[in-house]
Amino acid sequence: MAHQADARRHLDERGYTGPLIHNDNPLKLFEKAVRDRVVDSYYWKEQCFGLNAATLLDRAVELTCIGGTFGVGQRPTPFLCLAFKLLQITPEREIIEFYLGKAGEEFKYLRLLAAFYVRLTYEKGEDVYTTLEPLLADFRKIRRRTREGWSLTHVDEFVDDLLQKSRLNPRTFLEDEGIIEPRESALGEELEELDGEGSEGGGNAESDKTSGDGDGSMDGDVDPRNGDRASSREATPEAAARSDESMAGD
Amino acid sequence: MSNRAGAYGASSGNDTSFRKTWDRDEYAAKAASRDKKLQEEGKARHEAKLAGKKYIRRASTPPDARETEARKARLNVADQVGKTQLVPAGATQGKRGKGAGFYCDACDLTYKDNLQFVEHLNSKQHLVNTGETGEVRRSTLEEVEERFEWLKRKRQDEKAREVVDLGSRIEVAREVEEREREEKRRKRNEKRRKTKDGVGVQEVQVENDGVIC
């Protein structure tokens, strides 16, 4: 078993005979314009030539940011080039899970790369949800290269963007169909307590103020929204609205 | 009669032992394999014709061709900076032969910029000349795990070497410098040994070092 060192044959329109994803050439998951920019970039030619799933780790551990294209020339970031390489290699599912799990614990950009790949290539919506949701408990900071400049995000924010802002089947729909189980929150029972307090505080806010433990319940309501980001993930509409402007498509 | 030796020790006139002897079995096997190959090719040609395609015979990969691997390090495009070299007079035209720029030993070509050079290094022509197939082996999960462990260890080592104390940093820097100097000395000695009588390379001193007065 072998694959080509570069993507020339992969990108040839005449008679593609490689693995298929969504019934098409996996490299076509990138738009033509982006594809051409990646293939033209020096990083692609120098660093991505002849990589396989093992040597790709060497490059992925050296990543310092995520992002799409940058600058006036819209040069692709190394992150994008490596994602393109992953599409060309199409590693086995175990390898991707290793990138996400054990290797991702150590190298955060590798985890993001694999998460991005999973979102692009996994064909079933439930697979995407079940694979990526454990990563919502990862709060490490990451750098994001935008068109002009840099911004700061977090691993869970990025993963949440992957799940929320895309044409993926909504999780609630899949749950209604009985395809996946409702998500178990990392907070566990604590979440229900918070929810109970929250609805209490929201509904009878005025009457609570007068009662003895009203202050306590208000504190409990405010704290998780601002401080603990894990709980704000549970309030999905809020999270989606808040992070709308932070992520722009690649 | 034919076995009689000559008067001066030469073998007899009609001795045919100088002729090449043929291993009949070997050649019979060769012929059989050739027949088989032809037959297979004819079959493939026929099938291609039935399918409405043109049969194109693929050149065979040399048996000693090795698989392409990823570059071990970044391409060093700055290693010629600050060096002087003699360039043949006709070197400015075309990329054939050695000239000023990035030179590829295997293909005897010179490129003027690193983008063209790296494109050449990835090209089929270069891969064939260096005996590579242009195909990369798929790695297994075990290999990926092994690579990960190695990278993790490497990073831990680097972190352990990283110190904030000024005294030890100076110490480390001195050690590194000493090592580099030792390496330079070794290279110089090697070069000296290569020259005639071990006199070393004579430095040519040019007056007014390129400065126009």
Side-chain angles (χ1 to χ4, degrees), chain B residues 17-44:
Chain B
S17 66
F18 62 91
R19 285 193 184 160
K20 188 173 168 64
T21 52
W22 302 92
D23 185 349
R24 286 176 171 275
D25 290 342
E26 190 193 332
Y27 281 90
K30 236 181 185 175
S33 77
R34 183 169 174 275
D35 279 350
K36 202 180 159 206
K37 212 172 139 190
L38 276 179
Q39 206 176 357
E40 273 171 7
E41 198 189 310
K43 204 179 161 198

PDB file of all heavy atoms in Angstrom, chain B residues 17-44:
ATOM      1  N   SER B  17      37.396 -25.042 -26.798  1.00  0.00           N
ATOM      2  CA  SER B  17      37.009 -24.708 -25.418  1.00  0.00           C
ATOM      3  C   SER B  17      36.901 -23.195 -25.198  1.00  0.00           C
ATOM      4  O   SER B  17      36.365 -22.747 -24.201  1.00  0.00           O
ATOM      5  CB  SER B  17      38.001 -25.298 -24.439  1.00  0.00           C
ATOM      6  OG  SER B  17      39.244 -24.673 -24.622  1.00  0.00           O
ATOM      7  N   PHE B  18      37.466 -22.412 -26.140  1.00  0.00           N
ATOM      8  CA  PHE B  18      37.385 -20.959 -25.974  1.00  0.00           C
ATOM      9  C   PHE B  18      35.979 -20.437 -26.250  1.00  0.00           C
ATOM     10  O   PHE B  18      35.649 -19.316 -25.931  1.00  0.00           O
ATOM     11  CB  PHE B  18      38.383 -20.258 -26.903  1.00  0.00           C
ATOM     12  CG  PHE B  18      38.118 -20.513 -28.356  1.00  0.00           C
ATOM     13  CD1 PHE B  18      37.298 -19.647 -29.063  1.00  0.00           C
ATOM     14  CD2 PHE B  18      38.660 -21.620 -28.994  1.00  0.00           C
ATOM     15  CE1 PHE B  18      37.043 -19.888 -30.401  1.00  0.00           C
ATOM     16  CE2 PHE B  18      38.389 -21.847 -30.328  1.00  0.00           C
ATOM     17  CZ  PHE B  18      37.580 -20.995 -31.034  1.00  0.00           C
ATOM     18  N   ARG B  19      35.169 -21.274 -26.857  1.00  0.00           N
ATOM     19  CA  ARG B  19      33.833 -20.807 -27.219  1.00  0.00           C
ATOM     20  C   ARG B  19      32.942 -20.676 -25.985  1.00  0.00           C
ATOM     21  O   ARG B  19      33.136 -21.383 -25.000  1.00  0.00           O
ATOM     22  CB  ARG B  19      33.185 -21.781 -28.192  1.00  0.00           C
ATOM     23  CG  ARG B  19      33.766 -21.662 -29.564  1.00  0.00           C
ATOM     24  CD  ARG B  19      32.897 -22.396 -30.534  1.00  0.00           C
ATOM     25  NE  ARG B  19      33.501 -22.380 -31.852  1.00  0.00           N
ATOM     26  CZ  ARG B  19      33.187 -23.245 -32.799  1.00  0.00           C
ATOM     27  NH1 ARG B  19      32.324 -24.212 -32.544  1.00  0.00           N
ATOM     28  NH2 ARG B  19      33.740 -23.158 -33.977  1.00  0.00           N
ATOM     29  N   LYS B  20      32.008 -19.811 -26.100  1.00  0.00           N
ATOM     30  CA  LYS B  20      31.059 -19.627 -25.002  1.00  0.00           C
ATOM     31  C   LYS B  20      30.176 -20.859 -24.899  1.00  0.00           C
ATOM     32  O   LYS B  20      29.707 -21.382 -25.907  1.00  0.00           O
ATOM     33  CB  LYS B  20      30.203 -18.390 -25.277  1.00  0.00           C
ATOM     34  CG  LYS B  20      29.324 -17.990 -24.124  1.00  0.00           C
ATOM     35  CD  LYS B  20      28.661 -16.655 -24.430  1.00  0.00           C
ATOM     36  CE  LYS B  20      27.559 -16.333 -23.461  1.00  0.00           C
ATOM     37  NZ  LYS B  20      27.985 -16.160 -22.080  1.00  0.00           N
ATOM     38  N   THR B  21      29.981 -21.326 -23.694  1.00  0.00           N
ATOM     39  CA  THR B  21      29.049 -22.443 -23.516  1.00  0.00           C
ATOM     40  C   THR B  21      27.708 -21.874 -23.051  1.00  0.00           C
ATOM     41  O   THR B  21      27.668 -20.912 -22.291  1.00  0.00           O
ATOM     42  CB  THR B  21      29.574 -23.423 -22.463  1.00  0.00           C
ATOM     43  OG1 THR B  21      29.898 -22.686 -21.297  1.00  0.00           O
ATOM     44  CG2 THR B  21      30.785 -24.172 -22.975  1.00  0.00           C
ATOM     45  N   TRP B  22      26.651 -22.462 -23.491  1.00  0.00           N
ATOM     46  CA  TRP B  22      25.319 -21.941 -23.206  1.00  0.00           C
ATOM     47  C   TRP B  22      24.600 -22.815 -22.198  1.00  0.00           C
ATOM     48  O   TRP B  22      24.600 -24.039 -22.336  1.00  0.00           O
ATOM     49  CB  TRP B  22      24.500 -21.856 -24.498  1.00  0.00           C
ATOM     50  CG  TRP B  22      25.165 -21.000 -25.523  1.00  0.00           C
ATOM     51  CD1 TRP B  22      26.019 -21.407 -26.485  1.00  0.00           C
ATOM     52  CD2 TRP B  22      25.041 -19.596 -25.647  1.00  0.00           C
ATOM     53  NE1 TRP B  22      26.455 -20.349 -27.233  1.00  0.00           N
ATOM     54  CE2 TRP B  22      25.863 -19.222 -26.740  1.00  0.00           C
ATOM     55  CE3 TRP B  22      24.340 -18.615 -24.961  1.00  0.00           C
ATOM     56  CZ2 TRP B  22      25.991 -17.900 -27.159  1.00  0.00           C
ATOM     57  CZ3 TRP B  22      24.462 -17.308 -25.387  1.00  0.00           C
ATOM     58  CH2 TRP B  22      25.276 -16.954 -26.465  1.00  0.00           C
ATOM     59  N   ASP B  23      24.014 -22.154 -21.245  1.00  0.00           N
ATOM     60  CA  ASP B  23      23.188 -22.902 -20.288  1.00  0.00           C
ATOM     61  C   ASP B  23      21.802 -23.032 -20.895  1.00  0.00           C
ATOM     62  O   ASP B  23      21.022 -22.059 -20.903  1.00  0.00           O
ATOM     63  CB  ASP B  23      23.145 -22.139 -18.956  1.00  0.00           C
ATOM     64  CG  ASP B  23      22.411 -22.931 -17.893  1.00  0.00           C
ATOM     65  OD1 ASP B  23      21.779 -23.940 -18.265  1.00  0.00           O
ATOM     66  OD2 ASP B  23      22.465 -22.535 -16.716  1.00  0.00           O
ATOM     67  N   ARG B  24      21.520 -24.196 -21.423  1.00  0.00           N
ATOM     68  CA  ARG B  24      20.275 -24.359 -22.195  1.00  0.00           C
ATOM     69  C   ARG B  24      19.024 -24.161 -21.322  1.00  0.00           C
ATOM     70  O   ARG B  24      18.054 -23.557 -21.749  1.00  0.00           O
ATOM     71  CB  ARG B  24      20.249 -25.743 -22.841  1.00  0.00           C
ATOM     72  CG  ARG B  24      21.205 -25.807 -24.009  1.00  0.00           C
ATOM     73  CD  ARG B  24      21.278 -27.174 -24.611  1.00  0.00           C
ATOM     74  NE  ARG B  24      22.042 -27.107 -25.858  1.00  0.00           N
ATOM     75  CZ  ARG B  24      21.518 -26.784 -27.024  1.00  0.00           C
ATOM     76  NH1 ARG B  24      20.253 -26.502 -27.110  1.00  0.00           N
ATOM     77  NH2 ARG B  24      22.283 -26.716 -28.112  1.00  0.00           N
ATOM     78  N   ASP B  25      19.106 -24.658 -20.103  1.00  0.00           N
ATOM     79  CA  ASP B  25      17.923 -24.550 -19.226  1.00  0.00           C
ATOM     80  C   ASP B  25      17.570 -23.094 -18.934  1.00  0.00           C
ATOM     81  O   ASP B  25      16.410 -22.683 -18.968  1.00  0.00           O
ATOM     82  CB  ASP B  25      18.183 -25.289 -17.901  1.00  0.00           C
ATOM     83  CG  ASP B  25      18.228 -26.780 -18.125  1.00  0.00           C
ATOM     84  OD1 ASP B  25      17.718 -27.206 -19.193  1.00  0.00           O
ATOM     85  OD2 ASP B  25      18.772 -27.499 -17.272  1.00  0.00           O
ATOM     86  N   GLU B  26      18.644 -22.321 -18.669  1.00  0.00           N
ATOM     87  CA  GLU B  26      18.426 -20.927 -18.319  1.00  0.00           C
ATOM     88  C   GLU B  26      17.735 -20.195 -19.461  1.00  0.00           C
ATOM     89  O   GLU B  26      16.757 -19.453 -19.268  1.00  0.00           O
ATOM     90  CB  GLU B  26      19.777 -20.279 -18.021  1.00  0.00           C
ATOM     91  CG  GLU B  26      19.661 -18.897 -17.414  1.00  0.00           C
ATOM     92  CD  GLU B  26      20.980 -18.155 -17.431  1.00  0.00           C
ATOM     93  OE1 GLU B  26      22.037 -18.803 -17.394  1.00  0.00           O
ATOM     94  OE2 GLU B  26      20.926 -16.917 -17.508  1.00  0.00           O
ATOM     95  N   TYR B  27      18.224 -20.459 -20.665  1.00  0.00           N
ATOM     96  CA  TYR B  27      17.646 -19.737 -21.806  1.00  0.00           C
ATOM     97  C   TYR B  27      16.253 -20.221 -22.142  1.00  0.00           C
ATOM     98  O   TYR B  27      15.408 -19.450 -22.609  1.00  0.00           O
ATOM     99  CB  TYR B  27      18.607 -19.815 -23.001  1.00  0.00           C
ATOM    100  CG  TYR B  27      19.710 -18.817 -22.822  1.00  0.00           C
ATOM    101  CD1 TYR B  27      20.879 -19.164 -22.164  1.00  0.00           C
ATOM    102  CD2 TYR B  27      19.542 -17.505 -23.234  1.00  0.00           C
ATOM    103  CE1 TYR B  27      21.861 -18.246 -21.942  1.00  0.00           C
ATOM    104  CE2 TYR B  27      20.525 -16.571 -23.017  1.00  0.00           C
ATOM    105  CZ  TYR B  27      21.695 -16.936 -22.361  1.00  0.00           C
ATOM    106  OH  TYR B  27      22.657 -16.000 -22.127  1.00  0.00           O
ATOM    107  N   ALA B  28      16.020 -21.504 -21.873  1.00  0.00           N
ATOM    108  CA  ALA B  28      14.658 -22.020 -22.086  1.00  0.00           C
ATOM    109  C   ALA B  28      13.689 -21.323 -21.145  1.00  0.00           C
ATOM    110  O   ALA B  28      12.590 -20.901 -21.539  1.00  0.00           O
ATOM    111  CB  ALA B  28      14.633 -23.532 -21.848  1.00  0.00           C
ATOM    112  N   ALA B  29      14.134 -21.140 -19.879  1.00  0.00           N
ATOM    113  CA  ALA B  29      13.271 -20.456 -18.893  1.00  0.00           C
ATOM    114  C   ALA B  29      13.022 -19.011 -19.302  1.00  0.00           C
ATOM    115  O   ALA B  29      11.908 -18.498 -19.201  1.00  0.00           O
ATOM    116  CB  ALA B  29      13.932 -20.513 -17.515  1.00  0.00           C
ATOM    117  N   LYS B  30      14.085 -18.380 -19.806  1.00  0.00           N
ATOM    118  CA  LYS B  30      13.976 -16.978 -20.244  1.00  0.00           C
ATOM    119  C   LYS B  30      12.946 -16.856 -21.363  1.00  0.00           C
ATOM    120  O   LYS B  30      12.093 -15.952 -21.357  1.00  0.00           O
ATOM    121  CB  LYS B  30      15.335 -16.507 -20.744  1.00  0.00           C
ATOM    122  CG  LYS B  30      15.843 -15.282 -20.033  1.00  0.00           C
ATOM    123  CD  LYS B  30      17.184 -14.882 -20.605  1.00  0.00           C
ATOM    124  CE  LYS B  30      17.757 -13.728 -19.809  1.00  0.00           C
ATOM    125  NZ  LYS B  30      19.103 -13.394 -20.259  1.00  0.00           N
ATOM    126  N   ALA B  31      13.063 -17.788 -22.323  1.00  0.00           N
ATOM    127  CA  ALA B  31      12.144 -17.758 -23.462  1.00  0.00           C
ATOM    128  C   ALA B  31      10.708 -17.952 -23.000  1.00  0.00           C
ATOM    129  O   ALA B  31       9.781 -17.278 -23.458  1.00  0.00           O
ATOM    130  CB  ALA B  31      12.537 -18.828 -24.473  1.00  0.00           C
ATOM    131  N   ALA B  32      10.541 -18.880 -22.052  1.00  0.00           N
ATOM    132  CA  ALA B  32       9.192 -19.165 -21.562  1.00  0.00           C
ATOM    133  C   ALA B  32       8.603 -17.935 -20.884  1.00  0.00           C
ATOM    134  O   ALA B  32       7.437 -17.584 -21.091  1.00  0.00           O
ATOM    135  CB  ALA B  32       9.242 -20.333 -20.579  1.00  0.00           C
ATOM    136  N   SER B  33       9.443 -17.262 -20.084  1.00  0.00           N
ATOM    137  CA  SER B  33       8.918 -16.089 -19.362  1.00  0.00           C
ATOM    138  C   SER B  33       8.573 -14.971 -20.343  1.00  0.00           C
ATOM    139  O   SER B  33       7.599 -14.253 -20.166  1.00  0.00           O
ATOM    140  CB  SER B  33       9.923 -15.607 -18.320  1.00  0.00           C
ATOM    141  OG  SER B  33      10.958 -14.901 -18.937  1.00  0.00           O
ATOM    142  N   ARG B  34       9.385 -14.866 -21.402  1.00  0.00           N
ATOM    143  CA  ARG B  34       9.110 -13.829 -22.397  1.00  0.00           C
ATOM    144  C   ARG B  34       7.790 -14.119 -23.109  1.00  0.00           C
ATOM    145  O   ARG B  34       6.970 -13.220 -23.318  1.00  0.00           O
ATOM    146  CB  ARG B  34      10.254 -13.759 -23.402  1.00  0.00           C
ATOM    147  CG  ARG B  34      10.073 -12.662 -24.419  1.00  0.00           C
ATOM    148  CD  ARG B  34      11.328 -12.440 -25.224  1.00  0.00           C
ATOM    149  NE  ARG B  34      11.058 -11.471 -26.274  1.00  0.00           N
ATOM    150  CZ  ARG B  34      10.537 -11.782 -27.454  1.00  0.00           C
ATOM    151  NH1 ARG B  34      10.240 -13.041 -27.737  1.00  0.00           N
ATOM    152  NH2 ARG B  34      10.303 -10.838 -28.352  1.00  0.00           N
ATOM    153  N   ASP B  35       7.608 -15.408 -23.438  1.00  0.00           N
ATOM    154  CA  ASP B  35       6.356 -15.801 -24.088  1.00  0.00           C
ATOM    155  C   ASP B  35       5.153 -15.449 -23.214  1.00  0.00           C
ATOM    156  O   ASP B  35       4.147 -14.926 -23.674  1.00  0.00           O
ATOM    157  CB  ASP B  35       6.358 -17.311 -24.360  1.00  0.00           C
ATOM    158  CG  ASP B  35       7.136 -17.621 -25.627  1.00  0.00           C
ATOM    159  OD1 ASP B  35       7.471 -16.656 -26.345  1.00  0.00           O
ATOM    160  OD2 ASP B  35       7.427 -18.805 -25.884  1.00  0.00           O
ATOM    161  N   LYS B  36       5.327 -15.743 -21.933  1.00  0.00           N
ATOM    162  CA  LYS B  36       4.227 -15.515 -21.003  1.00  0.00           C
ATOM    163  C   LYS B  36       3.901 -14.026 -20.913  1.00  0.00           C
ATOM    164  O   LYS B  36       2.735 -13.605 -20.930  1.00  0.00           O
ATOM    165  CB  LYS B  36       4.638 -16.024 -19.614  1.00  0.00           C
ATOM    166  CG  LYS B  36       3.468 -16.335 -18.714  1.00  0.00           C
ATOM    167  CD  LYS B  36       3.977 -16.836 -17.383  1.00  0.00           C
ATOM    168  CE  LYS B  36       2.917 -16.666 -16.335  1.00  0.00           C
ATOM    169  NZ  LYS B  36       3.513 -16.552 -14.996  1.00  0.00           N
ATOM    170  N   LYS B  37       4.951 -13.216 -20.863  1.00  0.00           N
ATOM    171  CA  LYS B  37       4.784 -11.767 -20.780  1.00  0.00           C
ATOM    172  C   LYS B  37       4.047 -11.242 -22.010  1.00  0.00           C
ATOM    173  O   LYS B  37       3.107 -10.432 -21.904  1.00  0.00           O
ATOM    174  CB  LYS B  37       6.169 -11.124 -20.683  1.00  0.00           C
ATOM    175  CG  LYS B  37       6.196  -9.850 -19.877  1.00  0.00           C
ATOM    176  CD  LYS B  37       7.645  -9.425 -19.695  1.00  0.00           C
ATOM    177  CE  LYS B  37       7.784  -7.938 -19.856  1.00  0.00           C
ATOM    178  NZ  LYS B  37       9.184  -7.528 -19.923  1.00  0.00           N
ATOM    179  N   LEU B  38       4.478 -11.744 -23.164  1.00  0.00           N
ATOM    180  CA  LEU B  38       3.850 -11.310 -24.417  1.00  0.00           C
ATOM    181  C   LEU B  38       2.366 -11.668 -24.440  1.00  0.00           C
ATOM    182  O   LEU B  38       1.522 -10.871 -24.851  1.00  0.00           O
ATOM    183  CB  LEU B  38       4.549 -11.964 -25.608  1.00  0.00           C
ATOM    184  CG  LEU B  38       5.806 -11.266 -26.111  1.00  0.00           C
ATOM    185  CD1 LEU B  38       6.394 -12.055 -27.272  1.00  0.00           C
ATOM    186  CD2 LEU B  38       5.490  -9.843 -26.560  1.00  0.00           C
ATOM    187  N   GLN B  39       2.121 -12.878 -23.965  1.00  0.00           N
ATOM    188  CA  GLN B  39       0.745 -13.356 -23.948  1.00  0.00           C
ATOM    189  C   GLN B  39      -0.122 -12.479 -23.046  1.00  0.00           C
ATOM    190  O   GLN B  39      -1.229 -12.083 -23.411  1.00  0.00           O
ATOM    191  CB  GLN B  39       0.740 -14.787 -23.430  1.00  0.00           C
ATOM    192  CG  GLN B  39      -0.429 -15.601 -23.915  1.00  0.00           C
ATOM    193  CD  GLN B  39      -0.303 -17.033 -23.432  1.00  0.00           C
ATOM    194  OE1 GLN B  39       0.682 -17.418 -22.792  1.00  0.00           O
ATOM    195  NE2 GLN B  39      -1.306 -17.833 -23.731  1.00  0.00           N
ATOM    196  N   GLU B  40       0.439 -12.175 -21.884  1.00  0.00           N
ATOM    197  CA  GLU B  40      -0.313 -11.329 -20.934  1.00  0.00           C
ATOM    198  C   GLU B  40      -0.580  -9.956 -21.520  1.00  0.00           C
ATOM    199  O   GLU B  40      -1.667  -9.405 -21.382  1.00  0.00           O
ATOM    200  CB  GLU B  40       0.466 -11.199 -19.628  1.00  0.00           C
ATOM    201  CG  GLU B  40       0.169 -12.323 -18.667  1.00  0.00           C
ATOM    202  CD  GLU B  40       1.100 -12.314 -17.471  1.00  0.00           C
ATOM    203  OE1 GLU B  40       1.889 -11.344 -17.340  1.00  0.00           O
ATOM    204  OE2 GLU B  40       1.053 -13.272 -16.693  1.00  0.00           O
ATOM    205  N   GLU B  41       0.448  -9.440 -22.172  1.00  0.00           N
ATOM    206  CA  GLU B  41       0.298  -8.110 -22.748  1.00  0.00           C
ATOM    207  C   GLU B  41      -0.771  -8.119 -23.840  1.00  0.00           C
ATOM    208  O   GLU B  41      -1.604  -7.214 -23.929  1.00  0.00           O
ATOM    209  CB  GLU B  41       1.632  -7.639 -23.316  1.00  0.00           C
ATOM    210  CG  GLU B  41       1.671  -6.146 -23.527  1.00  0.00           C
ATOM    211  CD  GLU B  41       2.911  -5.707 -24.279  1.00  0.00           C
ATOM    212  OE1 GLU B  41       4.011  -6.117 -23.892  1.00  0.00           O
ATOM    213  OE2 GLU B  41       2.746  -4.969 -25.265  1.00  0.00           O
ATOM    214  N   GLY B  42      -0.739  -9.178 -24.652  1.00  0.00           N
ATOM    215  CA  GLY B  42      -1.737  -9.308 -25.715  1.00  0.00           C
ATOM    216  C   GLY B  42      -3.143  -9.365 -25.149  1.00  0.00           C
ATOM    217  O   GLY B  42      -4.070  -8.730 -25.662  1.00  0.00           O
ATOM    218  N   LYS B  43      -3.247 -10.075 -24.031  1.00  0.00           N
ATOM    219  CA  LYS B  43      -4.551 -10.192 -23.384  1.00  0.00           C
ATOM    220  C   LYS B  43      -5.040  -8.832 -22.892  1.00  0.00           C
ATOM    221  O   LYS B  43      -6.187  -8.438 -23.109  1.00  0.00           O
ATOM    222  CB  LYS B  43      -4.444 -11.170 -22.206  1.00  0.00           C
ATOM    223  CG  LYS B  43      -5.746 -11.809 -21.826  1.00  0.00           C
ATOM    224  CD  LYS B  43      -5.513 -12.768 -20.684  1.00  0.00           C
ATOM    225  CE  LYS B  43      -6.809 -13.064 -19.979  1.00  0.00           C
ATOM    226  NZ  LYS B  43      -6.573 -13.631 -18.657  1.00  0.00           N
ATOM    227  N   ALA B  44      -4.109  -8.110 -22.246  1.00  0.00           N
ATOM    228  CA  ALA B  44      -4.461  -6.789 -21.729  1.00  0.00           C
ATOM    229  C   ALA B  44      -4.850  -5.851 -22.866  1.00  0.00           C
ATOM    230  O   ALA B  44      -5.806  -5.079 -22.761  1.00  0.00           O
ATOM    231  CB  ALA B  44      -3.281  -6.206 -20.951  1.00  0.00           C
TER     232      ALA B  44
END
